[in-house]
């Protein structure tokens, strides 16, 4: 007959096996976390590239609109000054010319500036910089 296994020898083997399995589980979790981070970075990169392409197209459209509008301003100014447009007599009321050259032009240039601020946003001011600036201003008073 064989002797039953000694429980003293089983305990260290079980402890080692438990540690090995625990280590394997930790590695599996780390791999899963790394995979998740890699997928998240890939998604972020795709989003940034898509946003960059969209900004490029929107930028071109806004730039083309502003350029066309300013060219139209120059053409209108020259046509009114010379009194002809394309070989035909051209005349507009002064109020129409003023409205076209001021309000609408300011709107188009404003649109261009708003787009530029969206395309190149400024970094937010940090609170520590604000506090330092305020303390310097208060010392100067």
């Amino acid at each position: 007959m064989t002797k039953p296994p000694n429980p003293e020898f089983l305990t260290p083997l079980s402890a080692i096996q438990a540690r090995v399995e625990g280590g394997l589980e930790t590695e599996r979790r780390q791999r899963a976390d790394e995979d998740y981070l890699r997928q998240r970075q890939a998604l972020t990169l795709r989003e940034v590239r898509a946003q960059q392409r969209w900004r490029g197209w929107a930028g071109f459209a806004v730039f083309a609109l502003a350029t066309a509008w300013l060219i139209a301003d120059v053409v209108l100014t020259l046509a009114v000054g010379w009194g002809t447009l394309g070989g035909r007599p051209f005349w507009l009321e002064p109020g129409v010319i003023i409205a076209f050259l001021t309000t609408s032009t300011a709107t188009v240039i404003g649109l261009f500036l708003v787009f530029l601020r969206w395309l190149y946003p400024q970094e937010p001011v940090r609170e520590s910089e604000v506090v330092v600036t305020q303390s310097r201003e208060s010392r100067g008073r």
Side-chain angles (χ1 to χ4, degrees), residues 122-133:
Q122 296 177 351
E123 292 184 19
V125 178
R126 296 185 191 122
E127 291 181 26
S128 60
E129 292 175 1
V130 172
V131 171
V132 170
T133 305

Side-chain angles (χ1 to χ4, degrees), residues 22-139:
L24 289 174
E25 183 61 31
T26 302
E27 286 182 18
R28 283 187 203 114
R29 272 189 253 125
Q30 286 176 346
R31 280 192 208 129
D33 290 345
E34 290 171 0
D35 289 343
Y36 169 74
L37 290 175
R38 201 172 301 115
Q39 290 173 354
R40 185 174 162 194
Q41 287 173 343
L43 179 62
T44 303
L45 181 61
R46 279 195 302 267
E47 289 174 354
V48 166
R49 286 181 179 165
Q51 186 178 30
Q52 185 179 13
R53 279 192 304 271
W54 190 86
R55 283 183 175 186
W57 284 107
F60 177 76
V62 170
F63 182 76
L65 173 71
T67 302
W69 194 267
L70 294 175
I71 289 171
D73 280 353
V74 171
V75 168
L76 177 73
T77 303
L78 293 175
V80 168
W82 289 330
T84 61
L85 180 64
R88 296 184 177 155
F90 185 79
W91 185 82
L92 288 175
E93 292 287 330
V96 173
I97 297 168
I98 291 170
F100 184 79
L101 293 177
T102 57
T103 57
S104 57
T105 302
T107 303
V108 170
I109 292 173
L111 172 69
F112 188 67
L113 292 176
V114 166
F115 173 76
L116 284 178
R117 287 201 176 143
W118 171 71
L119 185 60
Y120 302 106
Q122 296 177 351
E123 292 184 19
V125 178
R126 296 185 191 122
E127 291 181 26
S128 60
E129 292 175 1
V130 172
V131 171
V132 170
T133 305
Q134 289 175 350
S135 64
R136 287 180 186 164
E137 290 174 357
S138 63
R139 281 187 230 153

